[in-house]
Amino acid sequence: MPSPLRATSQNSPAILIAAVSGRSLAAAARRAGYRPLVADLFNDSDTVALSERVARFSGSIGDGIDKESATETLLLLTEHEKPEALVYGSGFERRPEILKAFERHFPLAGNTAKTVAMVKDPVLLAQLCRQSGIPHPEVRLDAPTRSAGWLRKIGGGAGGAHVHHASHPRRQDGCYFQKFVPGRSISVLFLAQMEQAHIVGFSRQWSAPSAQSPFRYGGAVRLTRFDRKKRMQVRMWLDALTAATGLVGLCSADFIDGPDGLHLIEINPRPGATLDIFDSDDAPLLTQHLNAVRGEAITVPTYRGAAASAIAYAVRPIRNFPPVEWPELTADHQKPGSALQADDPVCTVLARAHSAAAAERAVKSRTLAMAAYWKGEFR
């Protein structure tokens, strides 16, 4: 679980962060001794407090970051600054061409647009898995004759909100179909460097279903143990994919662990949703990410106990979000006066415990309790 952030000064190097939500990367940058310059879609109060300077991308969660103005937003944000690197989070998998534009102006510390496009192409990833002997659900671009047992996804989508049953009537550009695999969701955080994947840790994820988003991301818990044979198998698979795609830096891989063993679902070629529960003062993950990208020595952290994070969502629209005295172990706080739609995220809730089961119970309980802070504000 993240601990108190390191103080920075004007002499500390600046780092540029671009993401749909930049708060967790801003905290990681502070922990690593950098001054964060952050552009995201929200500019929530936590991000503003953590950052040296902020800017807001044009766009929305549904439509993504506006590619026409994204580079200009970063250029204005970094005026009179020379950031050491640009680190990006979620928001670019569907539009890797934005990363190409960024590369022309900033030193990109992460995967190239080519690598992102490769691992987020569902057909190509399925081919790579077959070539490496990695179990992977069947995928297809055309709708199956019988929709039962199939999911419909958006290529490059994130957060689970883009995932529906194949029978769902609404179609979107860039959709594909993936065979449903039963089991529990496991995510593997790893540092890719020189054709090798160094595993940081495993987490178990769960969904927070709503009427509109049956597979919406709910949260994750850092596991204190994971089957040794499966761990070795995962490392071999990720080594193979890293070598085949040129992955670098902090990435994650999502698996389903079911009756037939592990199946790789997708690769996320950037720091992701579990950063909060894995970052460490002993080996700040942003430092390790930068070292991995540069080909320098990396240190994989070790952990004691378990940590969990979850998203609290609005169940109904809120016309005018109230001022809230936020309790400890919460983050990504909505600003007072914000207008929220049903299913919008309100905050992130964190918990820690001696075991993964206890941490998961604690964070789910605290997430349910958070609704009392804005109860009565629904329109």
Side-chain angles (χ1 to χ4, degrees), residues 328-375:
E328 292 185 2
L329 297 178
T330 60
D332 301 314
H333 303 134
Q334 280 288 347
K335 290 180 179 178
S338 298
L340 277 68
Q341 300 300 314
D343 293 343
D344 278 353
V346 179
C347 68
T348 298
V349 183
L350 304 162
R352 50 188 157 203
H354 66 284
S355 71
E360 182 175 341
R361 284 195 302 270
V363 82
K364 287 181 175 179
S365 175
R366 297 188 74 239
T367 302
L368 288 172
M370 287 303 300
Y373 285 81
W374 52 89
K375 186 178 180 180

Side-chain angles (χ1 to χ4, degrees), residues 22-194:
R23 192 275 312 164
S24 62
L25 278 170
R30 285 280 307 279
R31 196 165 289 107
Y34 290 94
R35 293 183 295 114
L37 313 175
V38 180
D40 71 3
L41 287 177
F42 302 106
N43 282 187
D44 64 49
S45 55
D46 289 22
T47 303
V48 172
L50 286 163
S51 303
E52 177 87 3
R53 195 183 300 169
V54 296
R56 193 164 183 171
F57 282 129
S58 297
S60 66
I61 294 178
D63 297 330
I65 294 168
D66 176 51
K67 67 179 182 180
E68 303 301 328
S69 61
T71 302
E72 184 63 24
T73 298
L74 295 190
L75 289 171
L76 290 172
L77 175 63
T78 56
E79 192 176 18
H80 308 306
E81 288 274 9
K82 290 187 178 180
E84 190 167 305
L86 164 58
V87 177
Y88 63 87
S90 66
F92 304 101
E93 290 94 333
R94 289 170 63 183
R95 296 189 176 98
E97 66 272 15
I98 301 179
L99 298 177
K100 271 189 177 178
F102 289 169
E103 283 184 282
R104 290 195 285 270
H105 299 277
F106 306 102
L108 194 68
N111 287 292
T112 64
K114 179 181 178 181
T115 295
V116 172
M118 189 183 305
V119 300
K120 299 312 290 187
D121 182 322
V123 174
L124 183 53
L125 180 61
Q127 292 173 351
L128 290 170
C129 286
R130 282 196 299 272
Q131 293 166 5
S132 300
I134 303 170
H136 181 71
E138 182 184 350
V139 298
R140 55 189 298 165
L141 298 180
D142 58 323
T145 304
R146 295 183 177 181
S147 60
W150 286 86
L151 302 174
R152 197 195 69 218
K153 298 184 172 185
I154 303 297
H162 66 101
V163 183
H164 292 87
H165 295 287
S167 57
H168 192 276
R170 186 184 174 194
R171 293 287 179 87
Q172 292 176 271
D173 292 340
C175 77
Y176 69 100
F177 299 87
Q178 186 178 77
K179 193 76 172 175
F180 175 76
V181 177
R184 61 176 188 162
S185 296
I186 298 293
S187 184
V188 185
L189 188 66
F190 65 99
L191 286 157
Q193 184 187 56
M194 297 179 183

Side-chain angles (χ1 to χ4, degrees), residues 5-6 8 13-17 22-38 50 87 275 279 284-287 290:
L5 299 175
R6 184 181 303 176
T8 58
I15 199 148
L16 180 58
I17 292 167
R23 192 275 312 164
S24 62
L25 278 170
R30 285 280 307 279
R31 196 165 289 107
Y34 290 94
R35 293 183 295 114
L37 313 175
V38 180
L50 286 163
V87 177
L275 186 59
D279 206 5
L285 284 177
L286 194 70
T287 299
L290 294 171

Side-chain angles (χ1 to χ4, degrees), residues 108-324:
L108 194 68
N111 287 292
T112 64
K114 179 181 178 181
T115 295
V116 172
M118 189 183 305
V119 300
K120 299 312 290 187
D121 182 322
V123 174
L124 183 53
L125 180 61
Q127 292 173 351
L128 290 170
C129 286
R130 282 196 299 272
Q131 293 166 5
S132 300
I134 303 170
H136 181 71
E138 182 184 350
V139 298
R140 55 189 298 165
L141 298 180
D142 58 323
T145 304
R146 295 183 177 181
S147 60
W150 286 86
L151 302 174
R152 197 195 69 218
K153 298 184 172 185
I154 303 297
H162 66 101
V163 183
H164 292 87
H165 295 287
S167 57
H168 192 276
R170 186 184 174 194
R171 293 287 179 87
Q172 292 176 271
D173 292 340
C175 77
Y176 69 100
F177 299 87
Q178 186 178 77
K179 193 76 172 175
F180 175 76
V181 177
R184 61 176 188 162
S185 296
I186 298 293
S187 184
V188 185
L189 188 66
F190 65 99
L191 286 157
Q193 184 187 56
M194 297 179 183
E195 302 190 350
Q196 284 189 304
H198 304 269
I199 292 178
V200 176
F202 291 77
S203 61
R204 181 174 62 245
Q205 301 189 354
W206 59 87
S207 60
S210 71
Q212 299 301 317
S213 303
F215 298 96
R216 181 179 63 178
Y217 176 79
V221 60
R222 190 182 74 219
L223 300 178
T224 55
R225 59 178 63 90
F226 193 73
D227 182 86
R228 184 172 175 273
K229 285 183 67 176
K230 289 180 179 179
R231 183 186 183 96
M232 292 175 63
Q233 184 66 80
V234 166
R235 192 191 68 193
M236 290 175 59
W237 290 340
L238 295 180
D239 279 348
L241 288 176
T242 297
T245 61
L247 284 167
V248 295
L250 202 59
C251 307
S252 64
D254 293 340
F255 290 85
I256 294 294
D257 188 6
D260 297 326
L262 290 163
H263 285 72
L264 177 71
I265 302 300
E266 66 178 347
I267 297 288
N268 298 305
R270 38 74 184 171
T274 59
L275 186 59
D276 280 328
I277 60 175
F278 280 101
D279 206 5
S280 163
D281 276 351
D282 297 330
L285 284 177
L286 194 70
T287 299
Q288 308 316 313
H289 172 74
L290 294 171
N291 288 351
V293 170
R294 296 165 179 161
E296 299 172 0
I298 58 174
T299 301
V300 178
T302 57
Y303 301 96
R304 296 182 63 184
S309 66
I311 308 297
Y313 293 97
V315 296
R316 292 188 293 278
I318 302 176
R319 179 183 293 124
N320 188 354
F321 194 80
V324 170

